[in-house]
Amino acid sequence: MTNAMIATLLGGITPAQFLAEYWQKKPLLVRQALPGFTGLATREEIFDLACDPDVESRYVRYLPEAPSESHVEHGPQKRSRLRGKREPWTVLVQGLNLWVPAADALLHRFDFIPQARLDDLMVSYAVDGGGVGPHFDNYDVFLLQGIGKRRWQIADQKDHSLVEGAPLRLLRDFRPVHDWVLEPGDLLYLPPHWAHNGIAIGECTTYSVGFKSPTAQELAYGFLDWLGEHLCLQGMYADPNLTLQDNSAEISPAMIEQVAGMLNGIRWSRADVAAFLGSYLTEPKPSVFFEPPGEPLDRAAFAQAVQAHGCALDPRTLLLWSSEAGFHINGEPFASNPDDRDLLAILAHRRRIEGGQPLPASLLSLLHAWYEDGFLQLAEKPAQ
Ligand code: SIN
Ligand code: CO
């Protein structure tokens, strides 16, 4: 994306200014952040995704008069439910970027925030009056208006008490301090914990760029899981000096002492943390499956096609790197030739390699293996 496009997206400020003044600090409303934007998927395409068992979706009927009686239905949705006209409703589809290449491209317009923090692009479709009610999220979000209009009310309130017994996390006492109507292409950035309520004015779609904000507890679970697979402790339990116990059911202090000593041998280093993060942050969501090409090109034909026209990571592929743990793709580390690392870092950042350049044989082998796994696709040949 060009600097001018980023400046438009952020309302005339640079990404560095955005990070210093707004990111995780205060909201930013940008009118016409994406001029001409009217969404990435039609109503029917959104409904098809919502009805697909592999796609995460929610149908929400929020009742402002009786919030605790609001209704939530997790996907796959029934098509008939998506026709209701009597009561306002909305359907939300998570991970649009996994299914629609243009949604992956939109998500990556926001990669002035590290990809390690980027989660997914959600789309919501609502009929007039539809929304999910006043709530707060624990993560940052960019809300981009697709078709139609949506009224956003927001608040920086400390009172986060929730409506009891509701199927949604709804604020009991929402006191908005700003009230804006967003039109197609308008963008609203909200830091974590800002209360917000979006109400559709007529039929509308909203695209939300969400971020990963794992809790310490989630990271600990993930790390202990990773450590369990990578740990290699020596020795085994032994008790050559065992003495007769009065009660055979007792777990003796001596046994506890010996096991405590063994477990005290569990150690990890910063390098382990870096390797864990590489795997954890590139692990595909459980619903993700890659589709290898039907009739894959052999290595020579593939090399010729990539060097001529380029290639792009599949929208579902996650490729990240750190100076301490190297590259990880879709949950796994891989060895790379030191000479290929600059090109790999560019591929990870831009998610594509342009055609019209010779590429090293070692890199072509790696790319070919990923192509065969469905992690990467050849760029389309430009029309003659
Ligand atoms: C929506 O698109 O209706 C909900 C988005 C949000 O509040 O985070
Ligand atoms: Co929200």
Side-chain angles (χ1 to χ4, degrees), residues 142-373:
F142 287 93
L143 300 156
L144 176 65
Q145 190 58 24
I147 57 160
K149 294 183 195 177
R150 187 184 278 273
R151 175 179 179 194
W152 282 105
Q153 299 171 302
I154 67 168
D156 186 19
Q157 60 190 63
K158 297 286 161 282
D159 178 3
H160 281 170
S161 46
L162 301 177
V163 174
E164 271 174 41
L168 289 160
R169 288 171 64 253
L170 294 169
L171 283 165
R172 207 161 46 189
D173 186 17
F174 178 54
R175 294 169 186 246
V177 291
H178 293 291
D179 197 325
W180 294 302
V181 173
L182 268 68
E183 304 210 6
D186 289 349
L187 179 73
L188 175 60
Y189 162 73
L190 290 178
H193 305 134
W194 268 73
H196 51 287
N197 187 28
I199 308 155
I201 302 177
E203 186 183 46
C204 97
T205 57
T206 300
Y207 293 77
S208 309
V209 176
F211 292 84
K212 288 180 183 152
S213 301
T215 61
Q217 190 67 25
E218 283 163 349
L219 286 167
Y221 273 132
F223 181 63
L224 290 175
D225 221 30
W226 182 92
L227 198 61
E229 275 177 32
H230 292 81
L231 201 62
C232 190
L233 290 181
Q234 301 302 318
M236 64 193 292
Y237 189 82
D239 50 3
N241 301 322
L242 186 64
T243 54
L244 200 58
Q245 286 187 193
D246 287 341
N247 186 318
S248 64
E250 184 188 5
I251 300 169
S252 70
M255 177 175 248
I256 295 171
E257 183 65 21
Q258 188 181 152
V259 173
M262 290 166 116
L263 298 183
N264 263 334
I266 299 175
R267 292 281 177 276
W268 65 86
S269 63
R270 185 183 161 96
D272 291 320
V273 174
F276 154 69
L277 276 177
S279 290
Y280 181 78
L281 294 171
T282 62
E283 183 65 35
K285 301 216 161 138
S287 57
V288 164
F289 293 94
F290 291 93
E291 286 155 37
E295 287 174 35
L297 299 181
D298 66 19
R299 223 206 71 118
F302 171 84
Q304 206 176 31
V306 171
Q307 295 181 110
H309 310 296
C311 62
L313 294 177
D314 183 87
R316 287 161 281 218
T317 284
L318 294 167
L319 173 60
L320 297 175
W321 64 275
S322 71
S323 55
E324 293 171 62
F327 289 85
H328 283 75
I329 190 165
N330 296 331
E332 300 289 336
F334 62 89
S336 58
N337 185 323
D339 294 342
D340 294 343
R341 291 192 189 146
D342 288 350
L343 279 167
L344 281 169
I346 292 173
L347 173 63
H349 179 55
R350 300 213 184 114
R351 300 188 56 80
R352 56 174 53 252
I353 289 184
E354 299 304 334
Q357 54 178 329
L359 297 171
S362 51
L363 182 65
L364 285 167
S365 295
L366 201 55
L367 298 180
H368 186 242
W370 291 344
Y371 158 77
E372 288 189 314
D373 286 339

Side-chain angles (χ1 to χ4, degrees), residues 97-124:
N97 53 297
L98 301 176
W99 311 99
V100 177
D104 180 53
L106 176 63
L107 184 65
H108 286 279
R109 281 185 180 228
F110 291 83
D111 58 19
F112 49 88
I113 310 293
Q115 289 185 46
R117 293 281 272 112
L118 219 47
D119 189 7
D120 77 339
L121 185 73
M122 178 182 85
V123 62
S124 67

Side-chain angles (χ1 to χ4, degrees), residues 124-146:
S124 67
Y125 168 89
V127 297
D128 186 38
V132 297
H135 67 284
F136 65 92
D137 299 312
N138 292 324
Y139 47 82
D140 311 75
V141 65
F142 287 93
L143 300 156
L144 176 65
Q145 190 58 24

